[in-house]
Amino acid sequence: MEEFAKESMGERIKSLRSERGDTRNEFARQIGISGKYLYEIETKNKWFSTKILVRMAAEFGVSADYILTGREDPVDSRQFFRDMEKLSPHTQMKMKQLMEIAYELAKEEK
């Protein structure tokens, strides 16, 4: 059986929100719930709808799986962009060009 992260779901949500610099009320408003309800989610692990889960994941830029279980995506986009920032400007430009080519190729396959 796969092991879940030690941090609770509520703690993960609070941590992700804090990383963004949002207050509880600001983030709650962005995802369409009250600050009180978000407080209950963060502190009491109160369950919420899949609609709210999808909104949270989109706002945080993480997978719903990460919010629920703490398991990282196979491709963690946040880590990818942090790693990209460490590259030289020349290498960043080359990577951007490669990604644009890949995007165009993917559009052609549709």
Side-chain angles (χ1 to χ4, degrees):
M1 185 172 188
E2 218 170 308
E3 196 173 312
F4 290 99
K6 292 180 182 173
E7 183 180 48
S8 75
M9 177 182 61
E11 290 169 331
R12 261 188 307 287
I13 292 167
K14 183 177 181 180
S15 177
L16 288 165
R17 177 181 57 76
S18 295
E19 283 177 24
R20 288 170 45 114
D22 288 340
T23 67
R24 185 174 287 125
N25 286 330
E26 288 170 341
F27 186 70
R29 196 172 25 260
Q30 292 169 12
I31 61 171
I33 62 174
S34 71
K36 181 179 186 240
Y37 188 44
L38 182 57
Y39 170 79
E40 291 173 347
I41 291 169
E42 290 179 350
T43 61
K44 300 175 184 163
N45 283 327
K46 184 169 186 163
W47 283 100
F48 44 90
S49 70
T50 55
K51 188 175 180 180
I52 293 170
L53 176 62
V54 169
R55 287 179 188 161
M56 281 186 193
E59 285 293 326
F60 289 141
V62 299
S63 70
D65 187 50
Y66 178 75
I67 291 173
L68 295 172
T69 67
R71 291 184 298 236
E72 295 286 345
D73 285 335
V75 176
D76 181 358
S77 59
R78 291 180 307 154
Q79 184 61 47
F80 173 78
F81 288 109
R82 283 193 296 265
D83 291 344
M84 285 284 290
E85 290 174 350
K86 296 175 188 173
L87 301 173
S88 71
H90 176 75
T91 303
Q92 287 180 14
M93 183 181 68
K94 293 292 184 188
M95 290 294 293
K96 182 179 181 243
Q97 291 170 341
L98 287 170
M99 289 173 19
E100 287 170 351
I101 291 167
Y103 176 74
E104 291 301 320
L105 289 171
K107 280 188 352 186
E108 289 174 11
E109 287 183 9
K110 287 185 179 179

PDB file of all heavy atoms in Angstrom, residues 36-52:
ATOM      1  N   LYS A  36     -14.580  31.137   6.442  1.00  0.00           N
ATOM      2  CA  LYS A  36     -14.870  30.209   7.553  1.00  0.00           C
ATOM      3  C   LYS A  36     -14.800  28.755   7.075  1.00  0.00           C
ATOM      4  O   LYS A  36     -14.247  27.896   7.754  1.00  0.00           O
ATOM      5  CB  LYS A  36     -16.254  30.513   8.137  1.00  0.00           C
ATOM      6  CG  LYS A  36     -16.608  29.619   9.299  1.00  0.00           C
ATOM      7  CD  LYS A  36     -17.964  29.962   9.876  1.00  0.00           C
ATOM      8  CE  LYS A  36     -18.188  29.129  11.113  1.00  0.00           C
ATOM      9  NZ  LYS A  36     -19.312  28.280  11.078  1.00  0.00           N
ATOM     10  N   TYR A  37     -15.357  28.508   5.889  1.00  0.00           N
ATOM     11  CA  TYR A  37     -15.331  27.146   5.351  1.00  0.00           C
ATOM     12  C   TYR A  37     -13.896  26.728   5.043  1.00  0.00           C
ATOM     13  O   TYR A  37     -13.489  25.605   5.353  1.00  0.00           O
ATOM     14  CB  TYR A  37     -16.210  27.076   4.106  1.00  0.00           C
ATOM     15  CG  TYR A  37     -16.426  25.676   3.566  1.00  0.00           C
ATOM     16  CD1 TYR A  37     -16.702  24.606   4.403  1.00  0.00           C
ATOM     17  CD2 TYR A  37     -16.363  25.435   2.206  1.00  0.00           C
ATOM     18  CE1 TYR A  37     -16.918  23.330   3.901  1.00  0.00           C
ATOM     19  CE2 TYR A  37     -16.567  24.162   1.696  1.00  0.00           C
ATOM     20  CZ  TYR A  37     -16.837  23.118   2.551  1.00  0.00           C
ATOM     21  OH  TYR A  37     -17.039  21.861   2.050  1.00  0.00           O
ATOM     22  N   LEU A  38     -13.092  27.642   4.482  1.00  0.00           N
ATOM     23  CA  LEU A  38     -11.688  27.318   4.206  1.00  0.00           C
ATOM     24  C   LEU A  38     -10.941  27.059   5.502  1.00  0.00           C
ATOM     25  O   LEU A  38     -10.124  26.141   5.577  1.00  0.00           O
ATOM     26  CB  LEU A  38     -11.017  28.439   3.406  1.00  0.00           C
ATOM     27  CG  LEU A  38      -9.561  28.189   3.024  1.00  0.00           C
ATOM     28  CD1 LEU A  38      -9.381  26.899   2.228  1.00  0.00           C
ATOM     29  CD2 LEU A  38      -9.015  29.377   2.224  1.00  0.00           C
ATOM     30  N   TYR A  39     -11.244  27.822   6.544  1.00  0.00           N
ATOM     31  CA  TYR A  39     -10.647  27.588   7.854  1.00  0.00           C
ATOM     32  C   TYR A  39     -10.935  26.161   8.326  1.00  0.00           C
ATOM     33  O   TYR A  39     -10.046  25.455   8.808  1.00  0.00           O
ATOM     34  CB  TYR A  39     -11.177  28.601   8.878  1.00  0.00           C
ATOM     35  CG  TYR A  39     -10.789  28.278  10.298  1.00  0.00           C
ATOM     36  CD1 TYR A  39      -9.527  28.578  10.782  1.00  0.00           C
ATOM     37  CD2 TYR A  39     -11.699  27.640  11.152  1.00  0.00           C
ATOM     38  CE1 TYR A  39      -9.163  28.259  12.087  1.00  0.00           C
ATOM     39  CE2 TYR A  39     -11.348  27.321  12.453  1.00  0.00           C
ATOM     40  CZ  TYR A  39     -10.079  27.630  12.916  1.00  0.00           C
ATOM     41  OH  TYR A  39      -9.726  27.299  14.201  1.00  0.00           O
ATOM     42  N   GLU A  40     -12.179  25.727   8.174  1.00  0.00           N
ATOM     43  CA  GLU A  40     -12.556  24.375   8.593  1.00  0.00           C
ATOM     44  C   GLU A  40     -11.834  23.314   7.762  1.00  0.00           C
ATOM     45  O   GLU A  40     -11.448  22.268   8.278  1.00  0.00           O
ATOM     46  CB  GLU A  40     -14.071  24.200   8.507  1.00  0.00           C
ATOM     47  CG  GLU A  40     -14.811  25.028   9.536  1.00  0.00           C
ATOM     48  CD  GLU A  40     -16.313  24.991   9.366  1.00  0.00           C
ATOM     49  OE1 GLU A  40     -16.810  24.531   8.314  1.00  0.00           O
ATOM     50  OE2 GLU A  40     -17.002  25.437  10.302  1.00  0.00           O
ATOM     51  N   ILE A  41     -11.649  23.583   6.480  1.00  0.00           N
ATOM     52  CA  ILE A  41     -10.921  22.648   5.617  1.00  0.00           C
ATOM     53  C   ILE A  41      -9.469  22.553   6.079  1.00  0.00           C
ATOM     54  O   ILE A  41      -8.912  21.461   6.210  1.00  0.00           O
ATOM     55  CB  ILE A  41     -11.001  23.089   4.135  1.00  0.00           C
ATOM     56  CG1 ILE A  41     -12.418  22.930   3.593  1.00  0.00           C
ATOM     57  CG2 ILE A  41      -9.999  22.304   3.281  1.00  0.00           C
ATOM     58  CD1 ILE A  41     -12.650  23.583   2.226  1.00  0.00           C
ATOM     59  N   GLU A  42      -8.854  23.712   6.348  1.00  0.00           N
ATOM     60  CA  GLU A  42      -7.435  23.735   6.715  1.00  0.00           C
ATOM     61  C   GLU A  42      -7.166  23.187   8.106  1.00  0.00           C
ATOM     62  O   GLU A  42      -6.133  22.558   8.336  1.00  0.00           O
ATOM     63  CB  GLU A  42      -6.899  25.168   6.640  1.00  0.00           C
ATOM     64  CG  GLU A  42      -6.784  25.698   5.233  1.00  0.00           C
ATOM     65  CD  GLU A  42      -6.268  27.122   5.164  1.00  0.00           C
ATOM     66  OE1 GLU A  42      -6.170  27.797   6.218  1.00  0.00           O
ATOM     67  OE2 GLU A  42      -5.955  27.563   4.051  1.00  0.00           O
ATOM     68  N   THR A  43      -8.063  23.410   9.048  1.00  0.00           N
ATOM     69  CA  THR A  43      -7.782  23.030  10.435  1.00  0.00           C
ATOM     70  C   THR A  43      -8.456  21.744  10.891  1.00  0.00           C
ATOM     71  O   THR A  43      -7.968  21.087  11.800  1.00  0.00           O
ATOM     72  CB  THR A  43      -8.185  24.158  11.408  1.00  0.00           C
ATOM     73  OG1 THR A  43      -9.585  24.390  11.286  1.00  0.00           O
ATOM     74  CG2 THR A  43      -7.388  25.421  11.131  1.00  0.00           C
ATOM     75  N   LYS A  44      -9.566  21.403  10.259  1.00  0.00           N
ATOM     76  CA  LYS A  44     -10.313  20.230  10.716  1.00  0.00           C
ATOM     77  C   LYS A  44     -10.420  19.154   9.644  1.00  0.00           C
ATOM     78  O   LYS A  44     -11.144  18.185   9.793  1.00  0.00           O
ATOM     79  CB  LYS A  44     -11.716  20.657  11.161  1.00  0.00           C
ATOM     80  CG  LYS A  44     -11.684  21.650  12.296  1.00  0.00           C
ATOM     81  CD  LYS A  44     -13.060  22.148  12.627  1.00  0.00           C
ATOM     82  CE  LYS A  44     -12.958  23.208  13.712  1.00  0.00           C
ATOM     83  NZ  LYS A  44     -14.131  24.020  13.826  1.00  0.00           N
ATOM     84  N   ASN A  45      -9.703  19.373   8.537  1.00  0.00           N
ATOM     85  CA  ASN A  45      -9.763  18.451   7.404  1.00  0.00           C
ATOM     86  C   ASN A  45     -11.196  18.171   6.981  1.00  0.00           C
ATOM     87  O   ASN A  45     -11.561  17.044   6.662  1.00  0.00           O
ATOM     88  CB  ASN A  45      -9.023  17.147   7.702  1.00  0.00           C
ATOM     89  CG  ASN A  45      -7.527  17.328   7.586  1.00  0.00           C
ATOM     90  OD1 ASN A  45      -7.057  18.125   6.770  1.00  0.00           O
ATOM     91  ND2 ASN A  45      -6.776  16.621   8.398  1.00  0.00           N
ATOM     92  N   LYS A  46     -12.006  19.211   6.996  1.00  0.00           N
ATOM     93  CA  LYS A  46     -13.389  19.086   6.541  1.00  0.00           C
ATOM     94  C   LYS A  46     -13.384  18.779   5.049  1.00  0.00           C
ATOM     95  O   LYS A  46     -12.623  19.363   4.283  1.00  0.00           O
ATOM     96  CB  LYS A  46     -14.154  20.375   6.815  1.00  0.00           C
ATOM     97  CG  LYS A  46     -15.605  20.292   6.474  1.00  0.00           C
ATOM     98  CD  LYS A  46     -16.366  21.472   7.003  1.00  0.00           C
ATOM     99  CE  LYS A  46     -17.838  21.251   6.752  1.00  0.00           C
ATOM    100  NZ  LYS A  46     -18.651  22.121   7.568  1.00  0.00           N
ATOM    101  N   TRP A  47     -14.224  17.864   4.624  1.00  0.00           N
ATOM    102  CA  TRP A  47     -14.282  17.494   3.213  1.00  0.00           C
ATOM    103  C   TRP A  47     -15.003  18.550   2.404  1.00  0.00           C
ATOM    104  O   TRP A  47     -15.784  19.333   2.932  1.00  0.00           O
ATOM    105  CB  TRP A  47     -14.952  16.133   3.048  1.00  0.00           C
ATOM    106  CG  TRP A  47     -14.004  15.054   3.425  1.00  0.00           C
ATOM    107  CD1 TRP A  47     -13.976  14.377   4.616  1.00  0.00           C
ATOM    108  CD2 TRP A  47     -12.911  14.564   2.661  1.00  0.00           C
ATOM    109  NE1 TRP A  47     -12.926  13.497   4.622  1.00  0.00           N
ATOM    110  CE2 TRP A  47     -12.261  13.585   3.437  1.00  0.00           C
ATOM    111  CE3 TRP A  47     -12.417  14.857   1.397  1.00  0.00           C
ATOM    112  CZ2 TRP A  47     -11.137  12.898   2.985  1.00  0.00           C
ATOM    113  CZ3 TRP A  47     -11.298  14.166   0.947  1.00  0.00           C
ATOM    114  CH2 TRP A  47     -10.681  13.204   1.734  1.00  0.00           C
ATOM    115  N   PHE A  48     -14.737  18.550   1.122  1.00  0.00           N
ATOM    116  CA  PHE A  48     -15.305  19.533   0.208  1.00  0.00           C
ATOM    117  C   PHE A  48     -15.576  18.860  -1.118  1.00  0.00           C
ATOM    118  O   PHE A  48     -15.121  17.742  -1.373  1.00  0.00           O
ATOM    119  CB  PHE A  48     -14.361  20.724   0.035  1.00  0.00           C
ATOM    120  CG  PHE A  48     -12.922  20.326  -0.152  1.00  0.00           C
ATOM    121  CD1 PHE A  48     -12.401  20.101  -1.412  1.00  0.00           C
ATOM    122  CD2 PHE A  48     -12.089  20.164   0.944  1.00  0.00           C
ATOM    123  CE1 PHE A  48     -11.087  19.723  -1.587  1.00  0.00           C
ATOM    124  CE2 PHE A  48     -10.769  19.788   0.781  1.00  0.00           C
ATOM    125  CZ  PHE A  48     -10.270  19.570  -0.493  1.00  0.00           C
ATOM    126  N   SER A  49     -16.326  19.549  -1.976  1.00  0.00           N
ATOM    127  CA  SER A  49     -16.742  18.968  -3.255  1.00  0.00           C
ATOM    128  C   SER A  49     -15.582  18.864  -4.240  1.00  0.00           C
ATOM    129  O   SER A  49     -14.565  19.541  -4.098  1.00  0.00           O
ATOM    130  CB  SER A  49     -17.844  19.823  -3.882  1.00  0.00           C
ATOM    131  OG  SER A  49     -17.304  21.057  -4.322  1.00  0.00           O
ATOM    132  N   THR A  50     -15.772  18.017  -5.241  1.00  0.00           N
ATOM    133  CA  THR A  50     -14.757  17.900  -6.297  1.00  0.00           C
ATOM    134  C   THR A  50     -14.635  19.219  -7.060  1.00  0.00           C
ATOM    135  O   THR A  50     -13.547  19.549  -7.543  1.00  0.00           O
ATOM    136  CB  THR A  50     -15.082  16.756  -7.276  1.00  0.00           C
ATOM    137  OG1 THR A  50     -16.400  16.948  -7.793  1.00  0.00           O
ATOM    138  CG2 THR A  50     -14.980  15.416  -6.600  1.00  0.00           C
ATOM    139  N   LYS A  51     -15.715  19.960  -7.133  1.00  0.00           N
ATOM    140  CA  LYS A  51     -15.688  21.266  -7.803  1.00  0.00           C
ATOM    141  C   LYS A  51     -14.687  22.193  -7.100  1.00  0.00           C
ATOM    142  O   LYS A  51     -13.875  22.858  -7.744  1.00  0.00           O
ATOM    143  CB  LYS A  51     -17.093  21.867  -7.774  1.00  0.00           C
ATOM    144  CG  LYS A  51     -17.301  23.104  -8.568  1.00  0.00           C
ATOM    145  CD  LYS A  51     -18.783  23.473  -8.505  1.00  0.00           C
ATOM    146  CE  LYS A  51     -19.114  24.702  -9.276  1.00  0.00           C
ATOM    147  NZ  LYS A  51     -20.537  25.034  -9.190  1.00  0.00           N
ATOM    148  N   ILE A  52     -14.722  22.219  -5.785  1.00  0.00           N
ATOM    149  CA  ILE A  52     -13.788  23.038  -5.007  1.00  0.00           C
ATOM    150  C   ILE A  52     -12.374  22.479  -5.137  1.00  0.00           C
ATOM    151  O   ILE A  52     -11.414  23.239  -5.274  1.00  0.00           O
ATOM    152  CB  ILE A  52     -14.230  23.127  -3.533  1.00  0.00           C
ATOM    153  CG1 ILE A  52     -15.540  23.902  -3.428  1.00  0.00           C
ATOM    154  CG2 ILE A  52     -13.147  23.772  -2.666  1.00  0.00           C
ATOM    155  CD1 ILE A  52     -16.189  23.849  -2.064  1.00  0.00           C
TER     156      ILE A  52
END
